[in-house]
Amino acid sequence: EAVDGILVQLPLPAQIDSTRVIAAIDPAKDVDGFHPVNAGRLATGLDALVPCTPYGCLYLLKQEVDTIAGKEAVVVGRSNIVGKPMALLLIGDSATVTVAHSKTRDLPDVIRRADIVVAAVGRPEMIKGDWIKPGAVVIDVGINRMPLENGKSRLVGDVDFAGASERAAAITPVPGGVGPMTIAMLLRNTVVAAHRRAGVPVP
C-alpha cells in the first residue's frame, strides 16, 4: 500500500514471461501504462495511465504543431510500447494516422505524405532525409548503437538526422530528445497514480 507506482524494466531475461509479470501489477500502479487494462482503456478512449514514451512524444508534438487535428501522421513501428499507443494518442487528437513498419510497401512514399512522422522501428537511420515532407515535424524514438571504425560507437536514431533536418520544420535529436520526455512522463504518471489512489484530485 505504501507503493504508488511499479514499472518493469524491459527486456526481461528470456526465461521470464514479461506478459505475466506486467499482468500481475495492479493497473492503478502501472505507471508504464503497459497493463492490459490500461492498454484497453487507452484504445477505447477512456482515462488511463498512458505509456510514457508516446505520451512524451505527444507533448513534444503539441509544442511544435498548432493543431494535430486533421494532420496526416505516420507512425513507423507497431510495438505495444510505442507504435500502437502512439497511434491511439494521435487518433485521440483527431489526426489521420497510418501505422507503417519495415514491411510496408513503398514506405518512402507513405512517409512523404506525412505532416507528422514518429519513427519507432529500431533500425539505425532507416528513414532517409528525402523521405520527409518539407515542413513536417519528426519525432525520432529510435536509439541505435552505430559502430565506428575506431572500435567505438555512437548513438543514432531511426531517422537520418542530418538529411531530415534540412527538410523538417522540427526534429528531435538522438540522444537527448525523446528520452528525457519519457522520464518526465513516468514521473507524471507516478504523481497521477498517487493522487488517484489517495482519492484526491489530480493536479
Side-chain angles (χ1 to χ4, degrees):
E1 284 302 308
V3 174
D4 292 307
I6 300 172
L7 63 91
V8 180
Q9 184 62 56
L10 301 173
L12 293 174
Q15 72 272 21
I16 300 175
D17 183 348
S18 59
T19 303
R20 286 184 61 197
V21 172
I22 291 167
I25 297 171
D26 179 349
K29 300 182 181 186
D30 168 40
V31 290
D32 259 338
F34 295 158
H35 191 283
V37 167
N38 282 316
R41 291 181 68 85
L42 176 62
T44 53
L46 298 174
D47 196 33
L49 289 171
V50 178
C52 305
T53 297
Y55 202 41
C57 293
L58 185 69
Y59 186 91
L60 287 170
L61 282 170
K62 287 183 174 181
Q63 310 310 302
E64 295 296 331
V65 178
D66 291 338
T67 178
I68 291 173
K71 294 286 194 298
E72 186 151 0
V74 172
V75 178
V76 189
R78 51 187 166 172
S79 72
N80 292 330
I81 295 172
V82 180
K84 290 176 186 175
M86 186 75 246
L88 291 168
L89 287 170
L90 288 165
I91 290 168
D93 272 1
S94 300
T96 300
V97 181
T98 300
V99 179
H101 43 79
S102 60
K103 294 181 176 59
T104 297
R105 289 183 185 173
D106 302 320
L107 181 60
D109 289 338
V110 172
I111 293 172
R112 284 188 186 107
R113 298 195 313 254
D115 305 302
I116 295 167
V117 177
V118 181
V121 72
R123 294 192 179 185
E125 299 181 338
M126 174 182 155
I127 297 170
K128 306 306 177 190
D130 64 358
W131 298 8
I132 303 301
K133 176 181 178 179
V137 175
V138 179
I139 305 289
D140 192 347
V141 183
I143 297 183
N144 309 285
R145 199 163 284 283
M146 189 88 97
L148 300 174
E149 290 180 3
N150 61 8
K152 296 183 179 179
S153 62
R154 67 184 179 100
L155 288 178
V156 299
D158 291 347
V159 179
D160 169 19
F161 184 85
S165 297
E166 295 178 2
R167 298 170 70 92
I171 182 171
T172 57
V174 177
V178 172
M181 292 306 303
T182 298
I183 296 165
M185 294 305 162
L186 175 63
L187 295 174
R188 178 258 179 205
N189 279 354
T190 304
V191 170
V192 168
H195 279 75
R196 287 180 182 165
R197 293 184 67 249
V200 296
V202 175

